Amino acid sequence: MKKILALLLIITLMFSLIGCGKAKQEDASSASGNTSNTENSSENNNETKDGEPVKLRIVMKDLSPSNPGDVKYIEELEKALAKKDINVKFEIVETPSGNYAEKLNLLLLGEDIPDIIYFQGGDKQIAEQGILEDLTPYIEKSEIIQKAMLPHNKKRMENYPYLIWLKPIKTKAPVVRSDWFEASKTGKALLDNPTIDNYYKFLKELKEKDFSGDGMPKYGLTVSGNIIELDSIFNQAFGITGAWVKDSEGKYVYGKVSEFEKEKLAFYHKLYKEGILDPEYLTKKWDTKEKAFYDNTVGLIIGSTGKVIDIYDGKMKKANGQEASLTVLPPAKGKGQGYLPIDVTKESRGIAISALSPNKELAFKVIEFLASDEGQMLDRLGFEGEHYEVKDGKIHLTEKSQEWFAKFFEVHSWEPTKKIATPLLSEPAVDSMKKAEKYYVEDTNFMIPEGFVASWDAMTNLYKEYSADIITGKKSIEEFDTFVKQWYEAGGKEITEFANKLLK
C-alpha cells in the first residue's frame, strides 16, 4: 500500500512539473510577443478573424492622408498586396509640419507608435529604448530582400539592424547646363583635370560670362543652407577624405578641426568674397536653390545622384529647351578625389518596424513586397494612365513621369517585365550614378556613443557657427584656431582619444 501511495505521489508530482513548464513556456511566449500558436494571430494570417484586412499604421515624411496623390498610392499598394494574399488596410499617420525627425520623435515618445515607421534621423534614440525591431532574422529568411541589398546596405545592416533602405549609392554631384558648359572656355580643362584651381576658373567664368544673353547668371553656384553640398565637390581634394583623417604623426583627428579644413574654408571665403558663391546660400532652401538654377541666376548646383538629378534635368529642359540638358561634373582632384565618403555605420534614413507591433511579420511582408518586381512597378513607375501608358506591349513614360519618385525603394537590379520604350532615367541621372560608383569612398567614422552625444551636438553647432562666419567674412580665417581650441575644450579631446582607440 505504501508503495502504491508513493508511486501515485511521484506521478502527481511529474504531471505538476509538466504543467508548470508548459505554463512558463506560454508566459514567456506571451511576454516576447510570440503569438505563433494563437489561432487568430495576425502574425500568421493576413486577415482578421472576421475576414477583414489587418490594419497597419504607417508614418512617413512624404505620405499624408490629406494629399489625394498619397491616398491613391496607398490604395494602389493595398490592391497590389491583395493580389499576393497580403490583406492589409493602411492608416497613414500624419506628423505636424516642421522638422520631420523632431516631430516624429515627439510622436513616438508620446507612445503613439505606428507599425511601420520611416526615419530621416533621430532613430538611434528610439532604437536604444527597444522600440524598433531587429530586422536581421526577417532578412535572413527573405530571398527578395537579400537579392536587393548592395554591399553598403549589408554593412549598414550588420552595424545597425533597425533600418532598411534599398537604394543605390547616394551622394551629391554638381550639375551645369550642357550648352553653357560647351560654350565655356574653361569647361574642357575642368573635365580633363578637375583640380581645385580649374574648378575655381570655371565657376568664375559662370559668374562673369553672359551665357544667356540677359545679363545672367549673377553667381557661379549656390547651395541650400549649409556647405555639405560644396563639400561633396571639394572635401577630398583638400585632404578631408573622411570624418576622421590622419595628421602628420599618423594619429586620427576630426576632419573639421584639421589644417585641411582651415585651407578649405579659406577657399570658400574666396568664392563668397568674389561673388562666385551666392551670398544668400545660408538662407536658401531646396526649392529656392532649384528656382535660381532654372531661372539662370546661378550656373551650377549640387544634387543627389540618380532621380533628383533626373528631375533637375527634366525641369531645366522644360524651362530652357532641350539643349539645356545637364552635364554632371566630377569631384575636384587634389590630395584625394571623390564625392562625399559613404557612411556604412548605419542607414541615415530608412524603414523600421515597431517592436511593439502585434503585426511585425505582416509589416515585413509589406516591406518585402516593395522590393519585389510587382512592388517596384508601382513604386518606381507610379500610376498607369498618369505617369506611364502601355502601348503595343511597351511602357511609355509620360511627361508627368519626371515628377514621380519612389516613396520607398529603388532596387538596383530591377527591370520591368515589359520593355520601357523611353529610359527610366535621363542620361545625366544615369551618368551621376555611374560617377557615384566610380568615386565611391567609404567613410572613416563611427556612431557617437551615448556619453558623448550632448557634447558632440554642442561641438557641431560650434563648427556651424565658425564656418559660416569665416566664409561670410564675419570672422577672419585666423580665428579658425580659436574654434579648434574651443572644440577640444568642449569634449573634443576625449572623443579624439576614443576615436584613436576605435579606428586604429
Side-chain angles (χ1 to χ4, degrees), residues 17-271:
L17 288 170
I18 291 168
C20 288
K22 184 177 180 182
K24 286 179 181 178
Q25 285 179 342
E26 288 173 351
D27 288 344
S29 176
S30 176
S32 65
N34 182 0
T35 55
S36 60
N37 293 321
T38 305
E39 185 178 351
N40 296 311
S41 168
S42 59
E43 293 282 12
N44 291 311
N45 300 294
N46 295 331
E47 57 185 28
T48 56
K49 187 176 180 180
D50 57 5
E52 289 298 311
V54 176
K55 184 172 82 170
L56 287 180
R57 301 178 74 235
I58 182 170
V59 61
M60 196 166 189
K61 185 175 183 288
D62 295 316
L63 278 181
S64 170
S66 58
N67 185 324
D70 293 345
V71 173
K72 183 178 179 180
Y73 174 84
I74 286 298
E75 289 173 350
E76 292 298 319
L77 178 58
E78 289 170 348
K79 291 175 187 175
L81 286 164
K83 290 178 182 178
K84 294 290 182 179
D85 295 324
I86 304 171
N87 198 12
V88 299
K89 181 70 178 175
F90 291 104
E91 177 190 327
I92 305 172
V93 179
E94 189 154 31
T95 56
S97 59
N99 183 291
Y100 176 75
E102 291 178 3
K103 300 299 182 182
L104 176 62
N105 273 19
L106 288 174
L107 178 80
L108 300 178
L109 293 172
E111 298 184 356
D112 183 5
I113 304 172
D115 302 280
I116 299 173
I117 309 164
Y118 168 76
F119 283 96
Q120 194 169 311
D123 52 281
K124 192 166 178 284
Q125 176 189 2
I126 303 301
E128 287 169 350
Q129 296 187 38
I131 295 174
L132 304 185
E133 183 79 351
D134 182 342
L135 299 177
T136 306
Y138 301 87
I139 291 170
E140 287 175 348
K141 293 185 290 184
S142 169
E143 289 185 13
I144 293 174
I145 294 289
Q146 289 203 42
K147 182 181 176 183
M149 293 177 78
L150 289 166
H152 69 282
N153 298 129
K154 292 176 181 178
K155 284 188 178 181
R156 288 170 177 173
M157 186 58 64
E158 288 171 8
N159 292 327
Y160 186 84
Y162 307 108
L163 295 186
I164 186 166
W165 197 237
L166 302 175
K167 296 209 175 188
I169 296 166
K170 287 286 183 183
T171 187
K172 293 181 180 292
V175 290
V176 64
R177 281 180 57 162
S178 296
D179 52 348
W180 288 11
F181 182 79
E182 290 165 7
S184 69
K185 293 180 179 179
T186 56
K188 186 177 184 303
L190 172 61
L191 274 189
D192 292 344
N193 189 23
T195 62
I196 295 167
D197 188 52
N198 281 343
Y199 247 108
Y200 166 74
K201 290 175 182 176
F202 178 68
L203 291 170
K204 188 175 182 181
E205 184 180 4
L206 283 179
K207 171 185 166 49
E208 294 178 349
K209 187 172 180 179
D210 185 9
F211 288 98
S212 59
D214 59 4
M216 302 297 182
K218 293 179 180 177
Y219 310 109
L221 79 163
T222 193
V223 294
S224 54
N226 58 55
I227 60 173
I228 292 172
E229 292 175 351
L230 266 181
D231 291 346
S232 71
I233 304 176
F234 296 110
N235 256 21
Q236 301 272 338
F238 277 99
I240 309 160
T241 53
W244 294 84
V245 296
K246 286 187 176 180
D247 62 15
S248 57
E249 297 178 0
K251 292 184 178 180
Y252 280 102
V253 59
Y254 187 52
K256 286 181 168 57
V257 296
S258 66
E259 285 299 310
F260 303 138
E261 181 75 20
K262 184 177 182 179
E263 186 182 358
K264 183 195 75 177
L265 291 180
F267 175 70
Y268 288 177
H269 171 63
K270 179 182 179 181
L271 297 180

Side-chain angles (χ1 to χ4, degrees), residues 360-425:
K360 294 189 285 289
E361 292 281 354
L362 192 58
F364 187 79
K365 285 183 180 180
V366 172
I367 293 173
E368 187 176 42
F369 174 81
L370 288 163
S372 70
D373 290 341
E374 297 89 345
Q376 286 289 283
M377 189 72 183
L378 171 62
D379 208 29
R380 298 281 287 278
L381 295 185
F383 308 138
E384 184 175 356
E386 185 175 348
H387 301 104
Y388 70 93
E389 295 175 348
V390 179
K391 298 177 183 176
D392 302 321
K394 293 182 181 179
I395 296 169
H396 296 260
L397 303 181
T398 67
E399 274 194 18
K400 275 198 164 186
S401 68
Q402 288 199 314
E403 299 173 11
W404 180 263
F405 61 93
K407 295 185 184 298
F408 291 91
F409 303 144
E410 293 176 24
V411 175
H412 70 289
S413 59
W414 176 75
E415 289 185 6
T417 52
K418 292 184 175 69
K419 186 177 180 180
I420 295 184
T422 47
L424 195 57
L425 291 174

Side-chain angles (χ1 to χ4, degrees), residues 233-350:
I233 304 176
F234 296 110
N235 256 21
Q236 301 272 338
F238 277 99
I240 309 160
T241 53
W244 294 84
V245 296
K246 286 187 176 180
D247 62 15
S248 57
E249 297 178 0
K251 292 184 178 180
Y252 280 102
V253 59
Y254 187 52
K256 286 181 168 57
V257 296
S258 66
E259 285 299 310
F260 303 138
E261 181 75 20
K262 184 177 182 179
E263 186 182 358
K264 183 195 75 177
L265 291 180
F267 175 70
Y268 288 177
H269 171 63
K270 179 182 179 181
L271 297 180
Y272 181 91
K273 186 179 179 181
E274 295 183 11
I276 294 171
L277 173 61
D278 176 8
E280 296 180 353
Y281 83 90
L282 279 170
T283 56
K284 277 279 195 292
K285 304 296 183 185
W286 66 268
D287 54 343
T288 52
K289 176 193 83 170
E290 291 176 21
K291 185 177 186 302
F293 188 47
Y294 308 138
D295 290 348
N296 303 319
T297 57
V298 297
L300 180 149
I301 62 171
I302 299 104
S304 297
T305 52
K307 186 61 181 178
V308 170
I309 286 179
D310 182 61
I311 292 170
Y312 287 1
D313 185 65
K315 288 185 176 180
M316 179 58 85
K317 287 188 289 190
K318 189 174 182 179
N320 295 286
Q322 291 298 311
E323 68 279 1
S325 179
L326 301 182
T327 292
V328 183
L329 300 179
K333 182 173 69 174
K335 294 181 176 71
Q337 186 180 22
Y339 298 122
L340 286 176
I342 304 302
D343 181 1
V344 294
T345 56
K346 65 185 289 291
E347 296 288 357
S348 60
R349 63 179 67 192

